[in-house]
Amino acid sequence: MKFLFDLFPLILFFATYKWGTGHVESAQALGNQFLSSMVAGGAVPADLAALTLATAVAILGTVGQIVYVKLRGRKVDGMLWLALIVVGVFGGAGIYFHDKTFIKWKPTILYWCFALALYIGQVVFKKNGVRTAMEAEFKLPDFVWTRLLYAWVLFHAAMGFLNLFVAFVLFKENDNAWVNFKFYGLTGMMLVFIVGQTIFLAKYLEENHES
């Protein structure tokens, strides 16, 4: 359930982009109606209408996540605040400057910020962020938590580099292919990573259960 919650802005982005590419005039009209005061020149270009509208919806989706958590009386996770800042800054810059470069950099910056936050937490503050998030559900030896943290750090760092390669090299001139990769490829890799993590942890969970 949490996985779907975390994907909510991405799902909104993907759905809006796909709708926008099939209804360019409508997407541009909506963009000009709601975003004209937020873009340089006061108008959304037709060739960027779908991407611009999708980015704006994703920003609203992230805000909606925070409002939802607040309304339920729960503490907003630090990574959700970080996501809002990154999406707001890079997505907002892309919308204002009519520059999809900012939008394509956004996933990479988010992945790298997440990896850096985990690494600094472990090395500088001696706090394992993965353990903090998962310890209520799993009881594992200290060295396993450490390995798990560095696996998350390396995985998210690699995902950031991969997004740059796909966005600016492999599909440099094909925004639609990049959006498909972002939705299917990166999400699929995250699922594979989680499954692999579960398999890795199974041995230690069984040992703890037996003991």
Side-chain angles (χ1 to χ4, degrees):
M1 191 68 178
K2 186 180 184 304
F3 185 71
L4 290 176
F5 177 79
D6 292 340
L7 285 179
F8 181 64
L10 177 58
I11 293 171
L12 289 179
F13 176 90
F14 182 77
T16 304
Y17 177 81
K18 289 300 182 180
W19 176 85
T21 54
H23 305 82
V24 177
E25 292 184 3
S26 297
Q28 185 180 24
L30 280 174
N32 287 329
Q33 180 179 355
F34 294 104
L35 302 174
S36 59
S37 62
M38 305 176 190
V39 299
V44 176
D47 62 328
L48 292 177
L51 201 56
T52 298
L53 193 62
T55 301
V57 169
I59 294 173
L60 291 176
T62 307
V63 172
Q65 286 180 307
I66 292 176
V67 171
Y68 174 77
V69 173
K70 285 285 190 180
L71 288 176
R72 298 196 64 182
R74 297 180 179 179
K75 181 181 178 182
V76 179
D77 184 81
M79 295 312 300
L80 188 52
W81 286 117
L82 177 62
L84 179 61
I85 293 171
V86 173
V87 170
V89 171
F90 282 83
I95 291 172
Y96 180 79
F97 292 110
H98 311 303
D99 191 344
K100 58 189 176 184
T101 299
F102 290 102
I103 297 172
K104 290 184 174 183
W105 262 93
K106 176 173 59 65
T108 289
I109 296 300
L110 190 57
Y111 284 129
W112 285 352
C113 283
F114 185 67
L116 188 61
L118 288 176
Y119 182 78
I120 291 176
Q122 174 73 12
V123 174
V124 178
F125 299 104
K126 308 303 179 184
K127 183 177 180 180
N128 187 319
V130 175
R131 183 172 188 166
T132 301
M134 300 173 59
E135 193 169 26
E137 300 177 30
F138 305 110
K139 301 301 179 184
L140 300 168
D142 290 343
F143 78 93
V144 176
W145 284 119
T146 301
R147 288 182 183 179
L148 199 58
L149 178 130
Y150 283 115
W152 277 81
V153 169
L154 291 174
F155 175 74
H156 283 83
M159 290 276 275
F161 282 112
L162 182 59
N163 176 67
L164 291 183
F165 173 75
V166 173
F168 297 107
V169 179
L170 188 61
F171 296 133
K172 183 179 181 180
E173 305 299 332
N174 191 336
D175 294 340
N176 187 61
W178 171 71
V179 170
N180 286 335
F181 168 78
K182 179 182 176 184
F183 185 74
Y184 295 112
L186 294 179
T187 303
M189 290 176 193
M190 178 62 74
L191 282 171
V192 170
F193 176 75
I194 292 173
V195 170
Q197 169 187 274
T198 303
I199 295 172
F200 169 73
L201 295 179
K203 172 185 175 182
Y204 300 101
L205 293 175
E206 289 174 1
E207 289 177 351
N208 287 337
H209 180 71
E210 290 172 359
S211 61

